[in-house]
Structure formats: structure tokens, C-alpha cells
């Protein structure tokens, strides 16, 4: 291998490696908040997830959703073991029917493939925090 290739490889490693390490934590953040596009993805990322998942059924035209969704993202992002799935009701009619969503926003808390709690409508931060706390792993004493 030529000296130029060796130098190029070392330079790229010194630039790429720190970036890769930094983007790893950002990747986890991107993975924990995701938009569900279809039923298969819902089954895979929500019902089969090892982490509890809060599912936010929302619509672009829904004014309360525009307030609730950013607040939920803000409160869930720091939680290491809870994910947020966002489901657009306009694009996922079968999921809306399956979970009997009659109004938006509708929020479900799912652990081990089971719905453990839910609420409908715009709620305050305390109610979202209570939902999150129900999904946190129990601390062993």
C-alpha cells in the first residue's frame, strides 16, 4: 500500500471515527421516535418491541395534536427505555380500526404487546409523565 493511501486512510479515520461515535447516540435517539408507515412496521416496532412504546395516533389537521406531539417527544427523548411511535390516522386506516381510535390525539401505552394504558385528547405534561412512569422499569431494591 502506498504512503499516500496509508495517510488518506489515517486522515479519514481521524475524521470519521469521532463522527461515527457521536452519531451513534443520535441514531438511538432517531430509533426511539419513529413514524409508523404500515401494519407490518407497527407489529415489528411496537407490538414486538423489547422496550415499552407510547403510540401517538395523530393527524396533520388536528390542532391539539400539534401541541401534544412535540410535548410527548420532549418528555420521551430523555427516557432510555421508552420509545415513541407516531401513527398518522389518515395513512393507517386499518390500525385506526383495529385500535378503535374515534378521536385524535389518541395515545396508547404498549408493553410486551399489550395495551397497559391510554388517553384521548390534549392532556397536560403531568398526565404524560404519569403514563411514562407506568412504563418505566421497576427499580429493584
Amino acid at each position: 500500500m502506498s504512503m499516500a493511501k496509508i495517510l488518506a486512510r489515517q486522515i479519514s479515520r481521524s475524521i470519521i471515527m469521532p463522527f461515527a461515535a457521536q452519531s451513534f447516540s443520535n441514531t438511538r435517539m432517531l430509533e426511539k421516535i419513529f413514524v409508523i408507515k404500515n401494519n407490518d412496521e407497527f407489529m415489528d416496532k411496537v407490538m414486538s418491541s423489547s422496550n415499552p412504546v407510547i403510540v401517538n395516533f395523530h393527524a396533520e389537521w388536528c390542532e391539539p395534536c400539534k401541541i401534544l406531539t412535540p410535548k410527548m417527544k420532549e418528555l420521551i427523548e430523555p427516557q432510555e427505555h421508552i420509545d415513541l411511535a407516531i401513527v398518522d390516522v389518515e395513512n393507517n386506516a386499518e390500525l385506526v380500526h383495529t385500535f378503535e381510535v374515534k378521536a385524535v390525539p389518541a395515545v396508547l401505552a404498549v408493553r410486551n404487546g399489550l395495551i397497559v394504558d391510554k388517553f384521548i385528547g390534549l392532556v397536560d405534561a403531568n398526565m404524560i409523565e404519569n403514563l411514562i412512569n407506568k412504563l418505566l422499569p421497576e427499580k429493584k431494591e
Side-chain angles (χ1 to χ4, degrees):
M1 184 179 303
S2 74
M3 186 57 117
K5 285 184 180 180
I6 292 171
L7 281 172
R9 182 176 280 177
Q10 287 177 339
I11 290 170
S12 70
R13 282 185 185 159
S14 67
I15 293 170
I16 294 171
M17 292 308 279
F19 176 75
Q22 178 186 8
S23 67
F24 176 76
S25 62
N26 293 340
T27 301
R28 173 62 190 133
M29 197 61 68
L30 292 174
E31 289 174 0
K32 75 181 282 91
I33 298 175
F34 44 87
V35 175
I36 297 295
K37 295 176 187 69
N38 56 50
N39 295 350
D40 291 336
E41 189 175 28
F42 187 87
M43 292 303 294
D44 182 48
K45 291 186 173 182
V46 176
M47 302 309 277
S48 300
S49 176
S50 58
N51 280 345
V53 181
I54 294 178
V55 182
N56 177 18
F57 285 91
H58 83 126
E60 291 299 319
W61 46 261
C62 167
E63 291 302 318
C65 298
K66 293 177 183 177
I67 298 167
L68 183 66
T69 300
K71 184 51 120 177
M72 290 185 64
K73 287 179 179 179
E74 174 189 324
L75 294 171
I76 292 171
E77 273 182 353
Q79 301 299 326
E80 189 175 332
H81 299 290
I82 298 177
D83 297 337
L84 174 63
I86 300 170
V87 179
D88 186 329
V89 296
E90 297 292 330
N91 300 326
N92 294 283
E94 191 172 335
L95 290 172
V96 169
H97 178 73
T98 299
F99 292 98
E100 299 178 349
V101 174
K102 305 289 187 216
V104 289
V107 176
L108 308 176
V110 178
R111 180 189 299 139
N112 299 326
L114 300 172
I115 298 170
V116 296
D117 204 354
K118 64 183 174 181
F119 65 79
I120 297 170
L122 183 59
V123 298
D124 64 16
N126 289 337
M127 190 150 177
I128 299 168
E129 289 168 349
N130 289 339
L131 186 72
I132 290 169
N133 289 334
K134 287 179 184 178
L135 293 176
L136 290 174
E138 293 180 20
K139 292 181 180 166
K140 303 201 178 181
E141 300 183 35

